[in-house]
Amino acid sequence: QQVSRMALSIFDQTLGQHRLGQHAREWLELASIVHDIGEHISYENHHRHSYYMVTNGNLRGFEPDEGEVIALLTRFHRRRTAKRSHPAFARLSRPARRAVRWLSAMLRVAESLDRSRAQLVERVTLAEYDDGWRMRVTGRADIEREIWAAQRNSGPLAEELGGPVCVVGG
């Protein structure tokens, strides 16, 4: 739930940039809740196992293409980013591929903001500056690990936002 809270906060704060609708927000919410489900099989490749489990889970209340988007968000929340060389990603419509790129970038940073899995981050605030974006992270106790991880994994989000993301405490 912590990762979901962070992901949705990033989504809401960047609405003017990504212009994705309510359905995309729902996809992000569900993907952020189940993104690590593949750890029950293997930690090392859990993103691939999560993709498989979501793809074959027959998600109720979602059309098949929406389920594929949610599965791809779990697939691309770590390591590689979404590319046309991935067959399932390539089969999506152009708007759905755009949503996967944006949402997986948000999910990647949100997961980083709970790196210690201790739910230390209380708030994340994004602001645009001339030189890019500043992500201010506030929390209780020492959140240096979360700040480091978020900065390390902010590349895909920076690419979608069109400028570097500087993650700072405060």
Side-chain angles (χ1 to χ4, degrees), residues 76-129:
F76 294 118
H77 83 274
R78 69 187 294 250
R79 296 200 181 158
R80 301 203 169 145
T81 57
K83 298 222 180 336
R84 296 282 300 257
S85 60
H86 189 280
F89 181 72
R91 283 192 299 269
L92 292 176
S93 67
R94 175 180 250 160
R97 286 193 310 268
R98 182 177 177 279
V100 168
R101 284 191 306 271
W102 270 102
L103 300 175
S104 62
M106 293 175 198
L107 180 53
R108 185 179 297 236
V109 171
E111 181 183 50
S112 300
L113 292 170
D114 195 35
R115 175 79 173 166
S116 67
R117 296 192 177 204
Q119 301 181 7
L120 299 175
V121 173
E122 294 173 331
R123 185 173 56 232
V124 57
T125 307
L126 279 151
E128 188 173 11
Y129 289 89

Side-chain angles (χ1 to χ4, degrees), residues 28-58:
L28 177 61
E29 183 175 23
L30 182 55
S32 64
I33 291 169
V34 301
H35 73 280
D36 280 341
I37 196 166
E39 286 184 5
H40 293 287
I41 298 170
S42 162
Y43 175 78
E44 185 59 32
N45 289 309
H46 77 271
H47 55 294
R48 292 181 179 181
H49 295 297
S50 294
Y51 170 78
Y52 177 83
M53 293 172 78
V54 172
T55 299
N56 293 286
N58 297 324

Side-chain angles (χ1 to χ4, degrees), residues 110-169:
E111 181 183 50
S112 300
L113 292 170
D114 195 35
R115 175 79 173 166
S116 67
R117 296 192 177 204
Q119 301 181 7
L120 299 175
V121 173
E122 294 173 331
R123 185 173 56 232
V124 57
T125 307
L126 279 151
E128 188 173 11
Y129 289 89
D130 292 336
D131 61 339
W133 290 80
R134 187 120 345 147
M135 180 180 290
R136 185 168 306 281
V137 181
T138 57
R140 54 191 209 302
D142 181 12
I143 57 171
E144 286 304 311
R145 187 175 186 186
E146 282 75 8
I147 292 169
W148 170 83
Q151 185 65 63
R152 182 172 176 251
N153 290 293
S154 67
L157 183 60
E159 187 173 323
E160 295 304 319
L161 288 170
V165 174
C166 178
V167 184
V168 297

Side-chain angles (χ1 to χ4, degrees), residues 8 11 15 18-31 62 66 69-70 73 95 99-100 102-103 106:
L8 294 176
F11 180 95
L15 190 59
H18 59 71
R19 299 177 313 282
L20 298 171
Q22 183 63 32
H23 286 298
R25 193 176 193 279
E26 291 171 8
W27 302 336
L28 177 61
E29 183 175 23
L30 182 55
F62 293 97
E66 292 179 303
V69 167
I70 294 164
L73 296 179
V100 168
W102 270 102
L103 300 175
M106 293 175 198

